[in-house]
Structures are given as structure tokens and as C-alpha cells.
Amino acid sequence: MARNERLIPASPERVFAVLADPDSYGHWVVGSDTIRGADDTWPAVGSRFHHRVGRFPLALNDHTEVIAMEPGRRLELHAKARPLGTAHVALDLERRGDATLVTMTEDAGDRITRLVFNPLTHFLVKRRNDESLRRLAELATP
């Protein structure tokens, strides 16, 4: 499992507002190219946004679905980029004074993907997520 933390100088409500905007994922999630649309109920449990991962000619269309959500506190996602695999991503927000500690954990989202998740994969995902959280902070910081 890849686990990353970042202290963002914004309130949990402000950080969650970015997470609640499906169009923001095209900017802050490394590897996500285009957000193709989203359910009107995003980020309600069971809602999805549709994305493109990668770049032409290796771009893949798929979706990410909300598994659990507590406004201002937690967002749990099942991200798909088939045939490359799926991921379980949790974003936990904890108020720290005027800032928010964001903890992002990512692991394989299905049995087949678990077969290819190894220490090297986790290392690469952790590096990618460091950059993703930096970009999230950029969007959330007033």
C-alpha cells in the first residue's frame, strides 16, 4: 500500500470542496488526462466521474466511483483504468489549526491488480501521489 501525507494550508472544507469538484481531478491526479463527465450526485456514495487516463495513443477511458464519503473528512474511491487495473484510494482530512493534514492511501482495487502490486509498484505510486497531493494543495490553497 502507498501512503502519503501532506499538510495543506487550507481548511478541510476547502480541501473537500476541491475533491467534490470532479473537473479538478484532471488537474491534480497525476496521469489523469481528461474528465469526460460526472454524475450530478458526485461525490455521493455510488456516484461516478468518467475520465481518460494516459496520453494518445495509450489513453484509456474508464471511471472512478465513490465508495464512502464524509463531507470535510473522508472520500474513498474505486478508480478504474482497465486493462491496467483498479485502485482503492482513500483521502482522509484532519484539521490541524488553520490547515488540513491530508492522508492519501492507495492499494490494488481487485485480486488481479494485487498480483502486480509489489514493492516497486508501491514506490512508484507513492511518488506519483506525492505530486498529486502537491497539485491538490495548489488548488485548495486560497
Side-chain angles (χ1 to χ4, degrees):
M1 171 173 49
R3 184 175 190 275
N4 300 72
E5 291 184 341
R6 183 172 190 97
L7 190 63
I8 297 177
S11 70
E13 295 78 17
R14 176 67 193 131
V15 175
F16 195 83
V18 175
L19 299 176
D21 176 7
D23 290 330
S24 74
Y25 287 74
H27 173 76
W28 75 265
V29 176
V30 173
S32 179
D33 178 43
T34 303
I35 305 306
R36 300 177 296 116
D39 294 348
D40 291 338
T41 56
W42 178 268
V45 173
S47 64
R48 298 175 175 184
F49 71 83
H50 306 276
H51 52 78
R52 180 173 298 120
V53 178
R55 301 254 188 245
F56 180 81
L58 301 175
L60 304 167
N61 290 335
D62 224 320
H63 67 270
T64 292
E65 182 174 343
V66 177
I67 299 169
M69 187 267 296
E70 294 176 56
R73 299 200 49 179
R74 181 173 178 79
L75 187 62
E76 232 179 297
L77 305 170
H78 185 74
K80 296 183 177 183
R82 296 169 292 189
L84 301 177
T86 67
H88 178 262
V89 181
L91 294 139
D92 291 293
L93 312 179
E94 182 182 330
R95 185 178 300 277
R96 294 282 176 95
D98 292 336
T100 303
L101 178 65
V102 178
T103 303
M104 181 178 189
T105 56
E106 182 172 344
D107 206 356
D110 61 66
R111 280 189 239 162
I112 294 172
T113 307
R114 273 189 208 100
L115 295 174
V116 297
F117 260 52
N118 57 51
L120 176 60
T121 308
H122 289 293
F123 172 77
L124 295 173
V125 168
K126 184 171 175 37
R127 290 201 46 172
R128 183 195 73 210
N129 290 346
D130 275 337
E131 175 61 16
S132 290
L133 289 180
R134 186 196 69 73
R135 293 177 184 186
L136 176 64
E138 186 178 85
L139 291 176
T141 302

